Amino acid sequence: MAIKALQLCFFPKLLQVQEYPTLPFFCSPLMTQGGNDESEERKCRHKWPKLVLIGHRGNGMNMLQSSDIRMRGIKENSILSFNTAAQFPIDFVEFDVQVTEDDCPVIFHDNFIVSEDKGLFIEKRVTDLKLPEFLSYGPQKELGEVKMPLFRKMKDGTFFEWKVEKDAPLCTLQEAFEKVKHSLGFNMELKFDDHIVYTERQLKHVLQVILQVVNEYAKGRPIFFSTFQPDAALLIRKMQSRYPVYFLTEGGSQMYADARKNSLGEAVKVCLAGGLQGIVSEVSAILGDPEAVTRIQGEKIHLLTYGQLNNIVKAVYMQLQMGVDGVIVDLVQEITEAVCD
């Protein structure tokens, strides 16, 4: 009854919820060190003793069109945002990793970066930029300097200047490892464009570049990978066994040509086929099908959720009761305080 009441309360708004892409590290970073020994992996697949809390893009994503100042407080996917989240009892920060044309892993959510020149908006694909140009957007490390004003394009085609209360420069993956509190775990979303068909060679190159930085700078930090790209998820699982891999899914709220992306059931198949450790689902798919938690975990697959409803304390509490392993949230302070209470 409690679940149904929550659904009736929130589901009329679900059609307005946009994509908020976003598991936990269930044991030490050495969980599968020494190979793909299935017995060793199974030792790590125990029930997590508490709800794992993950900060979305750090201390929360930016919604520039929102009237909620908390969604425009700190620049998302920045060192400042990550270290702000680290001040609260949070386990991980989630962020988006892409690779520039000159093979540098950088942290940025959107596929395209947008600036403005003489009234015209200029869009460039992040992966087509070299690192110096990427870092030239937005505020610079030199106090007060802005080379290229940064804008953001919404799904409806409108543009917003990227203004927040506490701005910060764009950053690389290496900088995140070097400058973010070491005890804070990293949920690294491997970002690929849904509108591009990637070859295995292309995916492998990108993943190798990212793994090179991870292997050099992680130094025992808790890490897990996640991605909406099923082939990338399967491939990075084959390329390394040290860090868990989770498959991201919208749970059927949107349909794709690749059927593996279209439901929780398909996500389970991907995990079982590739030996992935878990699923990160849009939260409404879980609240709409509470028995899915039991089905997924019955396959020894862990379950995280992301989405706007995770900024509502009652929805997070309901998932705790349902047995969800962790949640990715924007309102880090509010949700961590509520869960701790």
Side-chain angles (χ1 to χ4, degrees):
M1 290 299 292
I3 293 174
K4 185 170 288 293
L6 185 66
Q7 292 169 340
L8 291 174
C9 178
F10 294 129
F11 268 53
K13 300 179 181 179
L14 287 181
L15 294 178
Q16 303 171 18
V17 175
Q18 299 180 5
E19 177 187 345
Y20 290 82
T22 58
L23 192 154
F25 203 73
F26 288 96
C27 46
S28 81
L30 305 178
M31 92 170 199
T32 55
Q33 186 177 15
N36 293 315
D37 187 342
E38 178 65 17
S39 63
E40 287 299 314
E41 289 187 31
R42 287 191 180 278
K43 291 178 184 178
C44 296
R45 295 184 179 183
H46 59 271
K47 180 69 177 177
W48 194 248
K50 68 180 183 68
L51 189 71
V52 175
L53 298 173
I54 302 172
H56 189 208
R57 305 184 202 175
N59 198 53
M61 69 174 291
N62 294 150
M63 288 181 62
L64 304 177
Q65 73 276 33
S66 174
S67 58
D68 189 339
I69 190 62
R70 294 173 299 180
M71 296 305 212
R72 292 179 282 112
I74 302 173
K75 173 69 75 59
E76 68 176 39
N77 277 335
S78 68
I79 302 298
L80 175 62
S81 187
F82 302 148
N83 281 327
T84 300
Q87 298 174 18
F88 303 101
I90 201 159
D91 303 286
F92 291 80
V93 286
E94 181 270 355
F95 54 76
D96 309 272
V97 181
Q98 303 186 57
V99 174
T100 60
E101 187 182 46
D102 52 351
D103 286 345
C104 182
V106 296
I107 299 177
F108 195 77
H109 173 267
D110 301 352
N111 294 317
F112 290 85
I113 198 164
V114 184
S115 191
E116 183 265 344
D117 182 34
K118 298 178 181 178
L120 295 177
F121 292 106
I122 303 168
E123 301 178 64
K124 294 185 178 182
R125 187 177 290 279
V126 172
T127 53
D128 289 341
L129 302 177
K130 288 183 169 60
L131 179 62
E133 183 176 0
F134 172 77
L135 294 176
S136 72
Y137 287 84
Q140 301 298 292
K141 293 178 182 177
E142 298 78 15
L143 191 62
E145 183 180 351
V146 176
K147 288 185 178 179
M148 299 283 287
L150 195 57
F151 286 74
R152 191 168 219 169
K153 187 178 182 180
M154 303 295 109
K155 286 190 173 182
D156 62 3
T158 58
F159 293 89
F160 285 86
E161 187 173 2
W162 207 324
K163 285 187 174 181
V164 292
E165 294 295 308
K166 295 182 180 179
D167 215 337
L170 301 180
C171 67
T172 66
L173 179 60
Q174 179 180 331
E175 286 179 295
F177 278 116
E178 292 174 334
K179 298 178 180 179
V180 176
K181 184 179 178 182
H182 186 75
S183 61
L184 186 66
F186 284 175
N187 167 198
M188 297 171 51
E189 181 185 336
L190 308 171
K191 192 77 176 182
F192 296 94
D193 192 330
D194 289 329
H195 300 97
I196 294 178
V197 177
Y198 297 91
T199 65
E200 181 174 334
R201 181 178 179 181
Q202 289 173 316
L203 292 174
K204 190 170 185 178
H205 176 75
V206 169
L207 298 177
Q208 283 175 333
V209 170
I210 293 171
L211 284 173
Q212 183 175 350
V213 174
V214 172
N215 292 335
E216 185 171 353
Y217 294 98
K219 298 178 180 177
R221 183 189 298 269
I223 293 171
F224 70 97
F225 297 109
S226 62
T227 182
F228 284 100
Q229 222 292 347
D231 291 323
L234 296 172
L235 189 55
I236 199 167
R237 182 68 181 88
K238 290 179 181 178
M239 292 171 67
Q240 60 82 45
S241 59
R242 184 181 182 93
Y243 302 109
V245 180
Y246 289 77
F247 184 49
L248 274 158
T249 178
E250 293 175 343
S253 61
Q254 250 182 288
M255 293 292 111
Y256 297 89
D258 188 336
R260 294 174 297 177
K261 303 171 70 173
N262 290 341
S263 70
L264 284 171
E266 289 296 327
V268 170
K269 292 179 184 178
V270 171
C271 290
L272 293 177
L276 308 187
Q277 284 85 356
I279 291 170
V280 187
S281 172
E282 207 288 325
V283 59
S284 61
I286 300 302
L287 293 178
D289 182 12
E291 294 180 358
V293 179
T294 302
R295 294 198 304 271
I296 291 169
Q297 293 179 341
E299 298 287 356
K300 294 184 171 60
I301 298 170
H302 293 293
L303 177 63
L304 271 183
T305 66
Y306 73 91
Q308 189 173 349
L309 289 177
N310 280 353
N311 295 322
I312 299 173
V313 172
K314 289 183 179 179
V316 172
Y317 180 73
M318 185 61 66
Q319 292 175 77
L320 177 62
Q321 300 304 308
M322 292 165 64
V324 170
D325 295 297
V327 292
I328 300 175
V329 305
D330 293 298
L331 305 183
V332 170
Q333 180 174 358
E334 290 84 346
I335 299 300
T336 55
E337 287 177 352
V339 170
C340 288
D341 287 344

